[in-house]
Amino acid sequence: MERKINSAYRIHKLLSGLFFKDNKQVLEAWGETFRISHPNHATKALVVSECLNAIRLESLILQEQTAGLVRQEIIESHVGKIHEAISPMLLPSTWSAVKQYLTADTLLMLDLCSDMLPNEETQVSQEDLDNILIQVEELEASLVASTLPYRLKSIIQHHIKRIKIAIAVYPVSGVKALKSALHEALGDVVSVGDELDVELSGANAETVKKFKSVWQKVSSTVQSAETVITLIGYGSKGWDKISGFLNLLP
């Protein structure tokens, strides 16, 4: 039987797949888990902490979804152990400090809950996620060489960061992290759409096209039709800019 994809499934799949030696540093272990590599130790710790917070938020969603299905004191006990395991305070420690909380009964609870909860979404393939990252890297290189105004550069740099984090936390948060990044991006498009249009006819056209292409890929990955319904509040003028930028409408 095909597994249902939901909060419990994602957390279980992630945590049950962690196999590190006891003396492995926690920061390095989580970095490998979320495919985060950064030469700056402090920056890497910040990004890893964001990913760990995604697990925390997903576990709270799980706790809310299982209300009435499972005794709450049982869920709270296991969610508490998960929170202990993902505490950023453990990042300088060795993996044994995390491992003590990832017990068989907690993993079993997650597995059972994944069967109880409904299916939330269709799995996005790793190939699709990797393709987004490839486009992001191409955009990043183009942005460095561009002469875009500081305001536009800053916005695009912020979007690049949001996409990278959304993909890093995808194993935990699922498609909603990408949706959240997309919603924010479309809001920015409304505010700087005219400036982007100007740059499309100049020396920075290639960078703007790559920026557009990245978000087109993200929007198709998270099923843009659903996003359309939730963006009505932008008004007709704002919607014209969004649809023109992403070509969501015919």
Side-chain angles (χ1 to χ4, degrees):
M1 184 178 69
E2 190 172 341
R3 295 303 302 265
K4 292 182 286 187
I5 300 173
N6 48 49
S7 298
Y9 169 80
R10 287 189 293 266
I11 299 173
H12 177 267
K13 184 177 180 182
L14 180 79
L15 298 185
S16 63
L18 299 176
F19 299 102
F20 296 109
K21 293 181 178 179
D22 286 352
N23 62 352
K24 180 89 169 180
Q25 189 196 36
V26 174
L27 175 60
E28 293 304 313
W30 286 123
E32 289 179 20
T33 301
F34 292 107
R35 303 172 73 187
I36 297 165
S37 58
H38 200 285
N40 185 285
H41 189 84
T43 301
K44 183 175 182 177
L46 284 172
V47 178
V48 165
S49 294
E50 288 194 55
C51 294
L52 296 180
N53 188 52
I55 301 177
R56 185 186 70 83
L57 294 175
E58 206 67 19
S59 70
L60 294 176
I61 292 172
L62 163 65
Q63 189 171 329
E64 182 178 338
Q65 289 176 329
T66 53
L69 298 175
V70 182
R71 286 170 54 190
Q72 281 304 288
E73 61 266 29
I74 295 176
I75 292 293
E76 288 172 7
S77 172
H78 290 300
V79 167
K81 286 164 67 175
I82 292 170
H83 290 182
E84 293 285 356
I86 63 175
S87 171
M89 297 291 290
L90 298 181
L91 291 180
S93 306
T94 56
W95 188 248
S96 58
V98 173
K99 187 178 174 182
Q100 64 179 315
Y101 299 111
L102 303 180
T103 54
D105 57 336
T106 294
L107 296 176
L108 177 60
M109 179 276 299
L110 290 169
D111 194 30
L112 293 173
C113 287
S114 70
D115 285 334
M116 294 180 192
L117 298 176
N119 187 58
E120 293 178 359
E121 62 190 49
T122 301
Q123 188 86 34
V124 176
S125 71
Q126 187 59 52
E127 182 182 4
D128 277 339
L129 296 175
D130 288 343
N131 285 338
I132 293 173
L133 282 177
I134 289 170
Q135 289 186 238
V136 166
E137 289 168 2
E138 291 173 354
L139 169 61
E140 207 165 10
S142 181
L143 185 64
V144 170
S146 77
T147 57
L148 282 169
Y150 176 78
R151 168 176 156 84
L152 289 180
K153 263 193 173 181
S154 296
I155 288 173
I156 294 175
Q157 284 169 342
H158 176 66
H159 286 195
I160 287 171
K161 178 185 175 184
R162 283 297 309 271
I163 294 171
K164 286 182 175 181
I165 291 175
I167 290 177
V169 303
Y170 175 79
V172 178
S173 303
V175 79
K176 60 178 166 283
L178 285 167
K179 283 185 180 180
S180 177
L182 179 61
H183 286 190
E184 181 181 330
L186 296 182
D188 285 340
V189 167
V190 172
S191 65
V192 299
D194 292 340
E195 296 168 59
L196 289 169
D197 287 343
V198 170
E199 296 297 337
L200 270 172
S201 60
N204 297 305
E206 193 61 32
T207 301
V208 177
K209 287 177 182 177
K210 288 182 184 297
F211 178 54
K212 175 180 177 178
S213 180
V214 166
W215 283 118
Q216 285 176 326
K217 177 62 177 174
V218 173
S219 69
S220 63
T221 301
V222 299
Q223 302 176 345
S224 60
E226 181 180 348
T227 306
V228 170
I229 296 171
T230 62
L231 293 175
I232 298 300
Y234 282 113
S236 60
K237 185 177 179 181
W239 180 245
D240 286 344
K241 290 181 179 179
I242 292 170
S243 60
F245 186 74
L246 290 179
N247 294 327
L248 294 178
L249 297 179

mmCIF file of all heavy atoms in Angstrom, residues 9-30:
data_model
loop_
_atom_site.group_PDB
_atom_site.id
_atom_site.type_symbol
_atom_site.label_atom_id
_atom_site.label_comp_id
_atom_site.label_asym_id
_atom_site.label_seq_id
_atom_site.Cartn_x
_atom_site.Cartn_y
_atom_site.Cartn_z
ATOM 1 N N TYR A 9 4.581 11.209 8.677
ATOM 2 C CA TYR A 9 5.385 10.448 7.717
ATOM 3 C C TYR A 9 6.732 11.124 7.472
ATOM 4 O O TYR A 9 7.780 10.476 7.472
ATOM 5 C CB TYR A 9 4.616 10.310 6.399
ATOM 6 C CG TYR A 9 5.465 9.765 5.263
ATOM 7 C CD1 TYR A 9 5.719 8.401 5.149
ATOM 8 C CD2 TYR A 9 6.036 10.630 4.331
ATOM 9 C CE1 TYR A 9 6.506 7.905 4.120
ATOM 10 C CE2 TYR A 9 6.826 10.138 3.298
ATOM 11 C CZ TYR A 9 7.059 8.781 3.197
ATOM 12 O OH TYR A 9 7.847 8.308 2.185
ATOM 13 N N ARG A 10 6.688 12.446 7.249
ATOM 14 C CA ARG A 10 7.932 13.161 6.929
ATOM 15 C C ARG A 10 8.912 13.133 8.109
ATOM 16 O O ARG A 10 10.110 12.907 7.919
ATOM 17 C CB ARG A 10 7.605 14.598 6.515
ATOM 18 C CG ARG A 10 6.965 14.704 5.141
ATOM 19 C CD ARG A 10 6.878 16.146 4.695
ATOM 20 N NE ARG A 10 5.954 16.924 5.507
ATOM 21 C CZ ARG A 10 4.680 17.128 5.198
ATOM 22 N NH1 ARG A 10 4.175 16.612 4.086
ATOM 23 N NH2 ARG A 10 3.897 17.854 5.984
ATOM 24 N N ILE A 11 8.398 13.381 9.319
ATOM 25 C CA ILE A 11 9.294 13.374 10.489
ATOM 26 C C ILE A 11 9.856 11.971 10.709
ATOM 27 O O ILE A 11 11.045 11.798 10.973
ATOM 28 C CB ILE A 11 8.560 13.861 11.761
ATOM 29 C CG1 ILE A 11 8.056 15.288 11.581
ATOM 30 C CG2 ILE A 11 9.500 13.802 12.970
ATOM 31 C CD1 ILE A 11 7.189 15.782 12.723
ATOM 32 N N HIS A 12 8.993 10.958 10.589
ATOM 33 C CA HIS A 12 9.443 9.575 10.787
ATOM 34 C C HIS A 12 10.510 9.201 9.771
ATOM 35 O O HIS A 12 11.545 8.612 10.111
ATOM 36 C CB HIS A 12 8.263 8.612 10.684
ATOM 37 C CG HIS A 12 8.657 7.168 10.795
ATOM 38 N ND1 HIS A 12 8.932 6.370 9.697
ATOM 39 C CD2 HIS A 12 8.868 6.383 11.896
ATOM 40 C CE1 HIS A 12 9.276 5.177 10.102
ATOM 41 N NE2 HIS A 12 9.241 5.140 11.426
ATOM 42 N N LYS A 13 10.258 9.534 8.507
ATOM 43 C CA LYS A 13 11.217 9.177 7.463
ATOM 44 C C LYS A 13 12.563 9.833 7.708
ATOM 45 O O LYS A 13 13.619 9.202 7.535
ATOM 46 C CB LYS A 13 10.665 9.604 6.094
ATOM 47 C CG LYS A 13 11.568 9.166 4.933
ATOM 48 C CD LYS A 13 10.954 9.538 3.588
ATOM 49 C CE LYS A 13 11.855 9.089 2.448
ATOM 50 N NZ LYS A 13 11.300 9.470 1.121
ATOM 51 N N LEU A 14 12.554 11.082 8.132
ATOM 52 C CA LEU A 14 13.806 11.797 8.388
ATOM 53 C C LEU A 14 14.545 11.206 9.589
ATOM 54 O O LEU A 14 15.720 10.852 9.501
ATOM 55 C CB LEU A 14 13.533 13.282 8.622
ATOM 56 C CG LEU A 14 14.777 14.125 8.897
ATOM 57 C CD1 LEU A 14 15.514 14.434 7.594
ATOM 58 C CD2 LEU A 14 14.415 15.424 9.607
ATOM 59 N N LEU A 15 13.845 11.113 10.725
ATOM 60 C CA LEU A 15 14.507 10.701 11.969
ATOM 61 C C LEU A 15 14.914 9.227 11.958
ATOM 62 O O LEU A 15 15.954 8.872 12.524
ATOM 63 C CB LEU A 15 13.598 10.983 13.164
ATOM 64 C CG LEU A 15 13.230 12.453 13.411
ATOM 65 C CD1 LEU A 15 12.420 12.592 14.689
ATOM 66 C CD2 LEU A 15 14.483 13.329 13.472
ATOM 67 N N SER A 16 14.114 8.387 11.318
ATOM 68 C CA SER A 16 14.459 6.955 11.298
ATOM 69 C C SER A 16 15.609 6.656 10.350
ATOM 70 O O SER A 16 16.194 5.572 10.399
ATOM 71 C CB SER A 16 13.234 6.118 10.901
ATOM 72 O OG SER A 16 12.816 6.435 9.587
ATOM 73 N N GLY A 17 15.941 7.622 9.503
ATOM 74 C CA GLY A 17 17.034 7.422 8.558
ATOM 75 C C GLY A 17 18.357 8.003 9.009
ATOM 76 O O GLY A 17 19.321 8.051 8.228
ATOM 77 N N LEU A 18 18.433 8.439 10.258
ATOM 78 C CA LEU A 18 19.657 9.060 10.769
ATOM 79 C C LEU A 18 20.569 7.998 11.373
ATOM 80 O O LEU A 18 20.230 7.384 12.388
ATOM 81 C CB LEU A 18 19.316 10.116 11.827
ATOM 82 C CG LEU A 18 18.457 11.290 11.345
ATOM 83 C CD1 LEU A 18 18.115 12.205 12.514
ATOM 84 C CD2 LEU A 18 19.170 12.084 10.255
ATOM 85 N N PHE A 19 21.703 7.794 10.744
ATOM 86 C CA PHE A 19 22.674 6.819 11.262
ATOM 87 C C PHE A 19 24.058 7.479 11.289
ATOM 88 O O PHE A 19 24.741 7.542 10.265
ATOM 89 C CB PHE A 19 22.708 5.565 10.374
ATOM 90 C CG PHE A 19 21.385 4.845 10.310
ATOM 91 C CD1 PHE A 19 20.575 4.989 9.203
ATOM 92 C CD2 PHE A 19 20.961 4.044 11.360
ATOM 93 C CE1 PHE A 19 19.352 4.327 9.116
ATOM 94 C CE2 PHE A 19 19.737 3.375 11.291
ATOM 95 C CZ PHE A 19 18.944 3.521 10.174
ATOM 96 N N PHE A 20 24.432 7.965 12.448
ATOM 97 C CA PHE A 20 25.732 8.613 12.605
ATOM 98 C C PHE A 20 26.484 7.969 13.765
ATOM 99 O O PHE A 20 25.869 7.460 14.720
ATOM 100 C CB PHE A 20 25.574 10.118 12.877
ATOM 101 C CG PHE A 20 24.955 10.878 11.740
ATOM 102 C CD1 PHE A 20 23.665 11.385 11.849
ATOM 103 C CD2 PHE A 20 25.659 11.101 10.565
ATOM 104 C CE1 PHE A 20 23.084 12.086 10.801
ATOM 105 C CE2 PHE A 20 25.088 11.803 9.511
ATOM 106 C CZ PHE A 20 23.792 12.303 9.633
ATOM 107 N N LYS A 21 27.787 8.009 13.696
ATOM 108 C CA LYS A 21 28.594 7.506 14.810
ATOM 109 C C LYS A 21 28.392 8.418 16.023
ATOM 110 O O LYS A 21 28.164 9.616 15.879
ATOM 111 C CB LYS A 21 30.066 7.474 14.415
ATOM 112 C CG LYS A 21 30.375 6.454 13.318
ATOM 113 C CD LYS A 21 31.857 6.438 12.976
ATOM 114 C CE LYS A 21 32.154 5.390 11.909
ATOM 115 N NZ LYS A 21 33.593 5.372 11.538
ATOM 116 N N ASP A 22 28.489 7.820 17.203
ATOM 117 C CA ASP A 22 28.223 8.557 18.434
ATOM 118 C C ASP A 22 29.117 9.778 18.602
ATOM 119 O O ASP A 22 28.737 10.751 19.242
ATOM 120 C CB ASP A 22 28.374 7.634 19.653
ATOM 121 C CG ASP A 22 27.202 6.674 19.782
ATOM 122 O OD1 ASP A 22 26.224 6.830 19.021
ATOM 123 O OD2 ASP A 22 27.261 5.771 20.637
ATOM 124 N N ASN A 23 30.340 9.737 18.032
ATOM 125 C CA ASN A 23 31.273 10.848 18.227
ATOM 126 C C ASN A 23 31.170 11.910 17.124
ATOM 127 O O ASN A 23 31.957 12.846 17.076
ATOM 128 C CB ASN A 23 32.710 10.332 18.335
ATOM 129 C CG ASN A 23 33.177 9.622 17.064
ATOM 130 O OD1 ASN A 23 32.386 9.383 16.156
ATOM 131 N ND2 ASN A 23 34.462 9.289 17.022
ATOM 132 N N LYS A 24 30.200 11.764 16.228
ATOM 133 C CA LYS A 24 29.992 12.745 15.158
ATOM 134 C C LYS A 24 29.430 14.033 15.758
ATOM 135 O O LYS A 24 28.515 14.002 16.582
ATOM 136 C CB LYS A 24 28.992 12.193 14.143
ATOM 137 C CG LYS A 24 28.693 13.120 12.969
ATOM 138 C CD LYS A 24 29.656 12.887 11.847
ATOM 139 C CE LYS A 24 29.233 13.602 10.581
ATOM 140 N NZ LYS A 24 30.172 13.383 9.471
ATOM 141 N N GLN A 25 29.992 15.194 15.349
ATOM 142 C CA GLN A 25 29.460 16.450 15.860
ATOM 143 C C GLN A 25 28.039 16.660 15.340
ATOM 144 O O GLN A 25 27.732 16.400 14.181
ATOM 145 C CB GLN A 25 30.332 17.640 15.441
ATOM 146 C CG GLN A 25 29.918 18.932 16.158
ATOM 147 C CD GLN A 25 30.481 20.177 15.505
ATOM 148 O OE1 GLN A 25 30.584 20.241 14.298
ATOM 149 N NE2 GLN A 25 30.822 21.167 16.320
ATOM 150 N N VAL A 26 27.152 17.125 16.219
ATOM 151 C CA VAL A 26 25.738 17.281 15.876
ATOM 152 C C VAL A 26 25.550 18.262 14.719
ATOM 153 O O VAL A 26 24.765 18.006 13.794
ATOM 154 C CB VAL A 26 24.926 17.739 17.106
ATOM 155 C CG1 VAL A 26 23.481 18.050 16.713
ATOM 156 C CG2 VAL A 26 24.966 16.665 18.190
ATOM 157 N N LEU A 27 26.279 19.377 14.730
ATOM 158 C CA LEU A 27 26.156 20.351 13.647
ATOM 159 C C LEU A 27 26.493 19.718 12.301
ATOM 160 O O LEU A 27 25.782 19.918 11.308
ATOM 161 C CB LEU A 27 27.067 21.556 13.899
ATOM 162 C CG LEU A 27 27.117 22.607 12.775
ATOM 163 C CD1 LEU A 27 25.737 23.202 12.503
ATOM 164 C CD2 LEU A 27 28.117 23.708 13.113
ATOM 165 N N GLU A 28 27.563 18.932 12.260
ATOM 166 C CA GLU A 28 27.973 18.288 11.016
ATOM 167 C C GLU A 28 26.946 17.241 10.582
ATOM 168 O O GLU A 28 26.651 17.098 9.388
ATOM 169 C CB GLU A 28 29.350 17.637 11.182
ATOM 170 C CG GLU A 28 30.483 18.626 11.396
ATOM 171 C CD GLU A 28 30.570 19.658 10.275
ATOM 172 O OE1 GLU A 28 30.521 19.257 9.091
ATOM 173 O OE2 GLU A 28 30.664 20.858 10.578
ATOM 174 N N ALA A 29 26.393 16.529 11.554
ATOM 175 C CA ALA A 29 25.407 15.490 11.241
ATOM 176 C C ALA A 29 24.142 16.097 10.630
ATOM 177 O O ALA A 29 23.653 15.628 9.595
ATOM 178 C CB ALA A 29 25.057 14.707 12.503
ATOM 179 N N TRP A 30 23.630 17.149 11.251
ATOM 180 C CA TRP A 30 22.431 17.801 10.705
ATOM 181 C C TRP A 30 22.749 18.474 9.380
ATOM 182 O O TRP A 30 21.901 18.519 8.478
ATOM 183 C CB TRP A 30 21.858 18.811 11.691
ATOM 184 C CG TRP A 30 21.135 18.242 12.871
ATOM 185 C CD1 TRP A 30 21.417 18.459 14.187
ATOM 186 C CD2 TRP A 30 19.996 17.371 12.850
ATOM 187 N NE1 TRP A 30 20.534 17.773 14.993
ATOM 188 C CE2 TRP A 30 19.645 17.099 14.184
ATOM 189 C CE3 TRP A 30 19.254 16.784 11.826
ATOM 190 C CZ2 TRP A 30 18.577 16.274 14.533
ATOM 191 C CZ3 TRP A 30 18.176 15.958 12.169
ATOM 192 C CH2 TRP A 30 17.852 15.715 13.508
#
